[in-house]
Amino acid sequence: MQKAVSIIHKGLELRGMEHMPEGEKLPAVILFHGFTGTKLEPHRLFLKISRELEAKGIASFRFDFLGSGESDGNFEDMTVSGELEEAESIFNYVKSHPQVDEDKIIILGLSMGGLIASLLAGKLSTEIEKLILMAPAGTIGNSIEPMINSVPFIASHDAYDHGGNLVGKAFLEDVKNLEVWSQSAKYKGKVLLIHGTKDEAVPFEVSNLYIENSYKAQASLLPIEGGDHTFNAYYWEKAVIDAILEFAIK
């Protein structure tokens, strides 16, 4: 069953959806969306993943980060560090849920949500059963400044206009200080990486960097041949969902 849920984080409301099969002590997956994304993601990808997980007896939770989707806050106040704190609040909510087995929680992230998931798994370590990273933006610190320099600066908000989403200067400073590989490497569980080979937003090579610098033999990588950043084709989407289900169940 799908229903709207919300939690309070630092006085602001994070709004989300839970998908709950019948039963007690259920395994659960938490889905973290990407930069400028929402709890739906393109072509309703996160909703489709959640529905398929529910059909297999696995609960799932997908929230909008603050400043995104239907949650409180403004996008220009968003930082990776801030979203990491929000992700931990979401995790604690799920862990305390009366129908969830706290020892069987998987976290999944797409793009910058994948970066958040990798950092959270490193922080929480053994509290995370498995980790799924979809086109994780582990090198965002290298790519965000050139992107921002190509868009207008809105002086009244001290922010950059990225397609109608205002990106604050605090975001730029925050990503420069991220220790992605060393933090991610603290997680020692099983990792599944999924990445389109023709991804123009986050190069396919970034998933290989995660394996080389953080995960080594504990990770497997599924290339989606010809796939773009958010797997915008039926067969790409199907391959992604099938892989997630297989990894979550086994």
Side-chain angles (χ1 to χ4, degrees):
M1 183 174 121
Q2 176 183 338
K3 73 173 185 178
V5 294
S6 66
I7 60 177
I8 301 300
H9 174 84
K10 294 186 174 180
L12 298 174
E13 191 166 0
L14 291 161
R15 296 179 175 88
M17 288 287 178
E18 71 173 29
H19 295 254
M20 192 63 60
E22 293 184 5
E24 301 294 331
K25 294 299 178 184
L26 298 168
V29 177
I30 305 171
L31 295 83
F32 297 132
H33 68 74
F35 182 79
T36 73
T38 72
K39 60 183 177 294
L40 273 176
E41 287 297 22
H43 50 101
R44 305 172 89 199
L45 177 59
F46 272 15
L47 173 62
K48 293 172 184 176
I49 293 170
S50 291
R51 286 176 172 175
E52 293 293 334
L53 289 168
E54 184 179 354
K56 297 295 185 182
I58 301 171
S60 66
F61 300 80
R62 47 190 181 87
F63 282 82
D64 293 323
F65 287 119
L66 293 178
S68 294
E70 297 177 311
S71 288
D72 288 353
N74 299 308
F75 192 80
E76 57 260 42
D77 299 324
M78 178 272 302
T79 65
V80 171
S81 295
E83 287 197 355
L84 181 58
E85 292 178 357
E86 295 159 36
E88 188 168 3
S89 289
I90 293 167
F91 175 84
N92 289 333
Y93 168 80
V94 173
K95 184 177 179 178
S96 65
H97 195 288
Q99 286 181 259
V100 169
D101 184 341
E102 65 177 28
D103 296 320
K104 293 186 178 295
I105 299 176
I106 298 170
I107 56 175
L108 175 157
L110 170 64
S111 190
M112 198 171 89
L115 168 62
I116 299 296
S118 70
L119 297 173
L120 183 66
K123 182 176 182 179
L124 300 182
S125 189
T126 57
E127 294 185 71
I128 307 296
E129 186 194 21
K130 296 176 185 176
L131 175 62
I132 302 170
L133 304 179
M134 303 163 61
T139 58
I140 193 169
N142 299 330
S143 60
I144 192 68
E145 196 155 2
M147 179 187 76
I148 290 300
N149 287 339
S150 67
V151 301
F153 179 71
I154 309 299
S156 60
H157 289 266
D158 198 26
Y160 297 87
D161 183 359
H162 178 66
N165 292 288
L166 297 183
V167 180
K169 286 184 176 179
F171 180 86
L172 303 181
E173 293 304 313
D174 187 60
V175 296
K176 291 177 183 177
N177 297 317
L178 294 177
E179 299 287 346
V180 176
W181 311 130
S182 58
Q183 178 67 17
S184 299
K186 295 175 183 177
Y187 179 68
K188 302 301 181 185
K190 292 183 178 179
V191 182
L192 172 64
L193 295 118
I194 306 173
H195 212 135
T197 60
K198 299 296 185 181
D199 188 338
E200 294 184 353
V202 177
F204 177 77
E205 180 58 27
V206 176
S207 281
N208 282 319
L209 291 175
Y210 264 104
I211 293 174
E212 293 168 10
N213 296 318
S214 300
Y215 300 131
K216 312 298 182 186
Q218 75 199 68
S220 59
L221 171 58
L222 173 65
I224 303 298
E225 293 298 333
D228 60 15
H229 186 53
T230 50
F231 315 105
N232 294 303
Y234 172 79
Y235 286 110
W236 296 341
E237 176 188 90
K238 184 177 187 304
V240 168
I241 295 174
D242 287 349
I244 290 169
L245 293 176
E246 180 181 1
F247 183 73
I249 292 168
K250 69 180 181 182

